[in-house]
């Protein structure tokens, strides 16, 4: 990769005007959060041109998806957007379930929605917190990260892992929720509101932060749509598209929430949209947790969902099902399916081509980061070098998702 | 909605349409000749009522070894936000070595996805501003998402299942 970039940049920036310099930000740089490389041509402190180089964490999950079966691919989705892993799991599982036309019990959907919204909060906390750190405000980050840790502890109790949750299964969840889940989520919601308020006073309403972020790194509505922006970055420009409202999946049509929009798509507006989205996520979680249904944690489909271990050891039928699922995988009808969910960064779509075999014929992931990160040179052109760091943070580009 | 799109395409672009059996898919789709992709997407984007303003996804599929005669298909997913975010898919069958016109002049966002398809499938896009590999290094040999590219990479033509056999036949006393 390095040879490529060197030869490429020598040819691209061969005739540098007098006084212009090339600055190499990344691939491993404190201000990039992930393996992202940007080569920036500077005139003094102004950015004249830049070039993004990606692919440093490319693992070709789409190829692996052709070898893994439908439940196995779940571990790959964990490693895409590693800041809000459960949302990727849920996106993939919903795509498979809608291809197979599986109806899951209400309880499963409730837990999935709660976890999805908590992950959205987690993701946004990282984005706005790190943005503060990048431009020199550390305290807000520390205060809000305490809440993120609380969410992680719930995830840890629920799934046994903090980062790579591998949470769902086709037809349900890995296991039922633990007894204190409801009480803990309620307590979390109660604590999140004041924490967000505190963060608002600490950072967002700070004069220096406002002057530092207002009006920089902006993009117009037309350009954002043309570049394929989705999610908070698109809504910051004033477009109110949200997959949760446009094509409701799970029970998003049954809960009450608003879509916050910004105005000029600048760093400040992206941050404000994310702050408000966290409030809305808390609203959704509170509505769900108060009417949490009882029932099974998986669909009653023994040919799809692995039976419980103690029954596998004692019953013949369960042992057969266990063997069949492990050895032959689950049967997915032949067909093609595109299913999109609203992940923390935007529309996360899974495109599955199935030939009716154990493994998919082709898996494609529409990653929101990949689409909006290509506009980065346009966003920072003409601005200051220090602003490009803030722009990068506010876009929330996750290297694992970008390269896939 | 789908009837209107079909009527519009049949009326204005019938010479670009390919009559082919529809797939079992949750998204309505049309088969298009490669040379028709730019005018059709342009017209769909600028149409007043259809208004497919948003390029949702761009990818390709390799059909090697199936009963589908054309090797690749490039898939364009378009969305019409005005009409309840209705989606259609345009499918462009391509043979190995063929190229497809780039739509970066219509949607700026098509830039990287087209490069990704070139990188992983080897399908070239004409009039693209910068048609080079994006995820893989320039000196990479082969196109990984093609079906004839082994998962373990080139040069290892054994299957994982054969590994056990290879290892049991290995003479571990060699070199002692």
């Amino acid at each position: 990769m390095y040879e490529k970039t060197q030869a490429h940049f020598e040819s691209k920036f061969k005739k540098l005007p007098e006084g212009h310099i090339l600055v190499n930000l990344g691939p491993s740089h404190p201000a990039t959060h992930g393996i992202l490389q940007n080569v920036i041509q500077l005139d003094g402190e102004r950015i004249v041109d830049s070039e993004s180089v990606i692919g440093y964490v490319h693992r070709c999950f789409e190829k692996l998806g052709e070898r893994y079966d439908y439940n196995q691919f779940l571990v790959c989705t964990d490693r895409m957007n590693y800041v809000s892993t459960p949302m990727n799991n849920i996106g993939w599982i919903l795509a498979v379930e809608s291809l197979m036309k599986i109806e899951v019990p209400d309880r499963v959907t409730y837990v999935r929605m709660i976890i999805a919204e908590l992950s959205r909060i987690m993701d946004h906390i990282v984005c706005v917190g790190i943005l503060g750190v990048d431009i020199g405000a550390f305290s807000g980050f520390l205060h809000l990260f305490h809440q993120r840790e609380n969410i992680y502890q719930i995830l840890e109790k629920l799934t046994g892992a903090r980062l790579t949750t591998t949470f769902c299964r086709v037809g349900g969840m890995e296991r039922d929720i633990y007894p204190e889940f409801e009480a803990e989520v309620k307590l979390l919601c109660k604590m999140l509101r004041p924490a967000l308020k505190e963060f608002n006073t600490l950072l967002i309403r700070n004069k220096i932060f406002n002057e530092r972020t207002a009006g920089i790194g902006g993009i117009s509505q037309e350009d954002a749509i043309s570049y394929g922006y989705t999610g908070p970055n698109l809504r910051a420009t004033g477009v109110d598209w949200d997959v949760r409202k446009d094509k409701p999946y799970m029970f998003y049509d049954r809960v009450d929430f608003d879509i916050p929009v910004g105005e000029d798509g600048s760093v400040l507006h992206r941050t404000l949209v994310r702050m408000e989205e966290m409030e809305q996520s808390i609203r959704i979680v509170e509505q769900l947790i108060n009417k949490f249904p009882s029932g099974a944690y998986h669909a009653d489909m023994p040919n799809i969902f692995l039976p419980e271990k103690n029954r596998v050891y004692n019953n013949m039928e369960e042992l057969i099902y266990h063997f069949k699922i492990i050895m032959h995988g689950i049967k997915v009808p032949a067909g093609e399916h595109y299913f999109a969910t609203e992940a923390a960064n935007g529309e996360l779509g899974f495109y599955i081509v199935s030939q009716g075999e154990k493994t998919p014929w082709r898996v494609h992931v529409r990653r929101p980061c990949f689409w909006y990160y290509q506009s980065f040179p346009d966003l920072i052109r003409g601005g200051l070098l220090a602003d490009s760091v803030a722009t990068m943070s506010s876009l929330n580009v996750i290297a694992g998702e970008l390269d896939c | 909605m789908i009837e209107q799109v079909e009527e519009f395409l049949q009326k204005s672009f019938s010479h670009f349409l390919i009559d082919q059996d529809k797939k079992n898919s949750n998204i309505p789709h049309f088969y298009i000749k490669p040379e028709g992709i730019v005018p059709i997407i342009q017209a769909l984007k600028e149409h007043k009522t259809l208004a497919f303003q948003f390029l949702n996804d761009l990818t390709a599929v390799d059909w090697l070894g199936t009963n589908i005669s054309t090797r690749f298909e490039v898939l364009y997913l378009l969305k019409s936000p005005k009409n309840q975010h209705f989606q259609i898919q345009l499918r462009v069958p391509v043979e190995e070595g063929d190229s497809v016109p780039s739509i970066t002049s219509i949607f700026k966002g098509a830039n990287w996805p087209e490069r990704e398809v070139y990188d992983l499938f080897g399908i070239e896009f004409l009039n693209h501003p910068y048609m080079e590999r994006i995820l893989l290094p320039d000196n990479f040999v082969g196109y990984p998402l093609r079906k004839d590219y082994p998962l373990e990479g080139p040069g290892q033509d054994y299957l994982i299942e054969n590994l056990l056999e290879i290892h049991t036949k290995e003479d571990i006393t060699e070199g002692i």
Side-chain angles (χ1 to χ4, degrees):
Chain A
M1 186 56 87
Y2 180 71
E3 292 80 25
K4 171 196 173 172
T5 52
Q6 196 184 21
H8 166 63
F9 291 115
E10 270 170 11
S11 67
K12 179 169 179 183
F13 298 108
K14 202 171 4 178
K15 290 177 190 143
L16 274 190
E18 185 74 25
H20 285 209
I21 53 165
L22 277 186
V23 175
N24 193 16
L25 275 184
S28 186
H29 189 273
T32 57
H33 319 296
I35 319 296
L36 307 161
Q37 186 185 18
N38 282 292
V39 182
I40 298 177
Q41 181 188 351
L42 283 176
D43 175 17
E45 219 182 332
R46 292 269 163 204
I47 293 165
V48 182
D49 200 1
S50 77
E51 172 95 26
S52 306
V53 183
I54 68 169
Y56 285 95
V57 278
H58 179 61
R59 296 143 291 181
C60 214
F61 282 150
E62 295 181 358
K63 184 79 178 177
L64 285 175
E66 294 169 9
R67 173 63 67 94
Y68 288 168
D69 73 31
Y70 290 87
N71 271 324
Q72 284 174 330
F73 188 65
L74 207 58
V75 297
C76 293
T77 61
D78 273 335
R79 284 147 182 86
M80 282 174 197
N81 187 346
Y82 39 72
V83 187
S84 54
T85 46
M87 299 191 93
N88 306 332
N89 298 163
I90 292 166
W92 167 251
I93 289 300
L94 286 177
V96 177
E97 281 177 359
S98 77
L99 174 61
M100 297 175 73
K101 301 193 172 51
I102 298 175
E103 293 270 332
V104 295
D106 281 4
R107 187 182 175 86
V108 176
T109 310
Y110 269 69
V111 175
R112 284 181 186 172
M113 275 177 81
I114 290 171
I115 295 303
E117 292 310 315
L118 290 182
S119 338
R120 191 186 311 281
I121 296 172
M122 233 157 61
D123 194 289
H124 288 353
I125 284 178
V126 174
C127 181
V128 294
I130 302 277
L131 171 63
V133 175
D134 278 347
I135 58 179
F138 200 68
S139 45
F141 166 77
L142 277 182
H143 282 251
L144 211 48
F145 251 52
H146 180 65
Q147 303 305 321
R148 179 172 172 266
E149 176 61 30
N150 289 343
I151 302 178
Y152 261 132
Q153 284 186 356
I154 290 179
L155 283 182
E156 201 177 346
K157 277 190 183 176
L158 193 65
T159 68
R162 289 165 66 85
L163 198 70
T164 51
T165 49
T166 321
F167 172 56
C168 293
R169 294 289 182 275
V170 177
M173 292 180 291
E174 183 198 0
R175 63 187 91 165
D176 205 358
I177 54 169
Y178 57 95
E180 313 92 62
F181 178 76
E182 283 173 65
E184 283 188 12
V185 172
K186 276 180 191 163
L187 182 69
L188 181 83
C189 291
K190 211 179 274 175
M191 281 152 62
L192 262 172
R193 282 239 165 78
L196 290 180
K197 213 170 166 186
E198 184 188 41
F199 186 78
N200 257 316
T201 45
L202 264 174
L203 184 71
I204 308 290
R205 293 172 68 85
N206 183 318
K207 189 161 181 276
I208 304 170
F209 177 81
N210 270 271
E211 287 180 357
R212 188 76 172 67
T213 55
I216 67 157
I219 186 164
S220 69
Q221 275 187 21
E222 294 76 41
D223 276 354
I225 292 172
S226 180
Y227 268 122
Y229 270 52
T230 46
N233 295 334
L234 176 68
R235 293 193 278 275
T237 64
V239 185
D240 63 338
W241 297 352
D242 189 318
V243 185
R244 290 176 292 173
K245 287 270 190 205
D246 304 335
K247 286 187 184 254
Y249 53 96
M250 297 204 278
F251 292 151
Y252 280 111
D253 46 352
R254 299 191 201 172
V255 290
D256 201 21
F257 66 102
D258 300 320
I259 304 173
V261 289
E263 279 165 19
D264 58 357
S266 65
V267 175
L268 178 64
H269 282 254
R270 282 185 207 125
T271 316
L272 292 176
V273 165
R274 284 204 167 85
M275 289 304 292
E276 185 54 36
E277 269 190 18
M278 283 194 260
E279 297 278 351
Q280 298 300 332
S281 291
I282 300 173
R283 243 177 97 190
I284 297 174
V285 173
E286 279 177 345
Q287 288 171 45
L288 293 170
I289 201 79
N290 285 329
K291 41 181 182 181
F292 202 76
S294 56
Y297 66 94
H298 59 86
D300 187 17
M301 299 181 103
N303 55 338
I304 284 166
F305 194 84
L306 277 180
E308 280 179 49
K309 279 289 167 295
N310 57 348
R311 290 165 67 191
V312 173
Y313 296 140
N314 297 313
N315 292 351
M316 192 179 73
E317 286 79 10
E318 259 87 356
L319 183 65
I320 294 170
Y321 278 128
H322 185 97
F323 181 79
K324 289 286 276 183
I325 294 173
I326 296 289
M327 295 309 289
H328 301 149
I330 49 178
K331 284 275 171 288
V332 175
E336 303 192 2
H337 218 78
Y338 178 82
F339 193 90
T341 56
E342 182 76 19
N345 279 337
E347 180 179 330
L348 178 74
F350 285 99
Y351 184 66
I352 308 172
V353 181
S354 164
Q355 300 266 59
E357 290 163 6
K358 178 186 174 186
T359 59
W361 180 257
R362 166 107 171 93
V363 179
H364 173 69
V365 193
R366 188 234 187 254
R367 297 98 71 191
C369 284
F370 187 70
W371 286 74
Y372 61 67
Y373 186 51
Q374 53 185 321
S375 69
F376 186 64
D378 276 7
L379 295 183
I380 61 170
R381 190 169 293 131
L384 298 171
L385 178 63
D387 289 347
S388 79
V389 175
T391 310
M392 168 80 98
S393 302
S394 73
L395 279 175
N396 198 18
V397 183
I398 309 287
E401 185 182 76
L402 179 72
D403 293 345
C404 185
Chain B
M1 188 62 202
I2 181 64
E3 295 83 27
Q4 288 164 312
V5 180
E6 191 155 7
E7 193 190 317
F8 172 71
L9 288 179
Q10 288 290 357
K11 208 175 84 187
S12 321
F13 297 103
S14 57
H15 52 293
F16 287 138
L17 293 181
I18 303 173
D19 192 26
Q20 203 167 326
D21 289 345
K22 295 270 155 103
K23 289 243 158 38
N24 169 24
S25 170
N26 71 331
I27 293 183
H29 47 275
F30 300 94
Y31 289 92
I32 312 276
K33 286 178 190 163
E35 58 270 26
I37 194 71
V38 173
I40 286 180
I41 288 185
Q42 182 93 41
L44 284 173
K45 187 189 178 191
E46 284 163 5
H47 196 281
K48 281 211 176 62
T49 53
L50 299 177
F52 284 95
Q53 286 174 347
F54 191 70
L55 178 67
N56 213 321
D57 199 8
L58 197 164
T59 183
V61 183
D62 184 359
W63 292 113
L64 183 74
T66 61
N67 52 7
I68 295 161
S69 55
T70 332
R71 171 91 194 254
F72 299 106
E73 266 174 22
V74 183
L75 315 173
Y76 301 81
L77 188 64
L78 296 170
K79 187 161 88 169
S80 171
K82 267 188 192 165
N83 301 301
Q84 288 92 42
H85 294 261
F86 185 78
Q87 287 171 325
I88 59 161
Q89 191 183 47
L90 302 177
R91 307 173 75 106
V92 178
V94 197
E95 279 299 340
E96 192 179 341
D98 284 1
S99 50
V100 183
S102 166
I103 57 161
T104 39
S105 54
I106 310 168
F107 291 107
K108 288 181 189 173
N111 188 330
W112 279 15
E114 283 181 355
R115 277 177 71 184
E116 191 194 22
V117 169
Y118 168 71
D119 195 354
L120 304 176
F121 284 95
I123 301 168
E124 208 161 327
F125 289 84
L126 294 173
N127 303 325
H128 187 282
Y130 187 61
M131 195 80 260
E132 273 189 32
R133 285 186 182 273
I134 181 166
L135 293 165
L136 304 171
D138 265 3
N139 52 5
F140 194 89
V141 180
Y143 302 103
L145 278 186
R146 288 189 175 184
K147 285 285 174 184
D148 50 7
Y149 190 93
L151 182 73
E152 300 87 356
Q156 302 175 329
D157 47 0
Y158 51 80
L159 295 170
I160 287 182
E161 289 77 42
N162 299 344
L163 264 181
L164 194 65
E165 203 185 346
I166 293 169
H167 281 294
T168 47
K169 283 180 183 162
E170 221 170 36
D171 186 11
I172 53 167
T173 57
E174 202 180 1
I176 292 176

